[in-house]
Amino acid sequence: MWFISPILYMGFVKCAEYINIPFQRQLRRLNNIALSVFSAGLCAMSANEIYNQTDELSLHPFVCKIYDETSSLYFIMYTFYLSKYWEWIDTYFIVRSNKKVSNLHYYHHMSTPVLSYVTTFHRGVTPSFIYACFLNTFVHTFMYWYYAFPDSKIRKCKKVITRVQIF
């Protein structure tokens, strides 16, 4: 499925305008809360795996070490990959609220399942993947919480969240 995900995403975006789900505002908030909590959990698991697999605190293992494919690491990798499809729901809510889907959003969500799959299952577990997973879930924890509660105190951090996400 991963290799046709860009085509599936294009179809999903086209169909989103015709799919009407009741209670969209409440479901959008619930989805954002769930994604925030999920991201926090996967972030903690990634941090724990990095800590457990790094023998020494030096630059070499952080950059060069091939990680042992433990069951927890495999779970993190596969769950992270699947979450990229879950994040498509963001696009649905954007389309249904009559907002324009930006090119950055469109191409990002179109490509991340492919990139996540290839990086996860065709290259071995490189540090770059687990760090990308850690950083992505870290920022998504705050980003999705902000989306759920845009008028909360986290609003002050909006620019920082955006900068970290772009990074």
Side-chain angles (χ1 to χ4, degrees), residues 11 51 56 68 90 98 112 144 154:
Y51 176 77
E56 57 186 83
D68 298 329
D90 283 348
N98 294 320
T112 52
Y144 285 114
I154 201 169

Side-chain angles (χ1 to χ4, degrees), residues 55-118:
D55 302 331
E56 57 186 83
L57 294 175
S58 69
L59 187 59
H60 184 268
F62 281 106
V63 177
C64 302
K65 181 182 190 301
I66 300 297
Y67 280 63
D68 298 329
E69 292 193 32
T70 63
S71 59
S72 62
L73 184 57
Y74 185 79
F75 176 81
I76 292 166
M77 292 165 38
Y78 196 67
T79 307
F80 182 76
Y81 159 68
L82 291 176
S83 73
K84 300 301 124 188
Y85 294 101
W86 180 8
E87 292 171 7
W88 287 5
I89 295 173
D90 283 348
T91 307
Y92 169 79
F93 289 119
I94 291 170
V95 169
R96 291 303 299 170
S97 62
N98 294 320
K99 294 181 181 172
K100 184 179 182 324
V101 177
S102 73
N103 286 338
L104 177 63
H105 178 98
Y106 187 83
Y107 290 112
H108 171 75
H109 284 277
M110 179 192 288
S111 63
T112 52
V114 172
L115 295 172
S116 295
Y117 187 89
V118 170

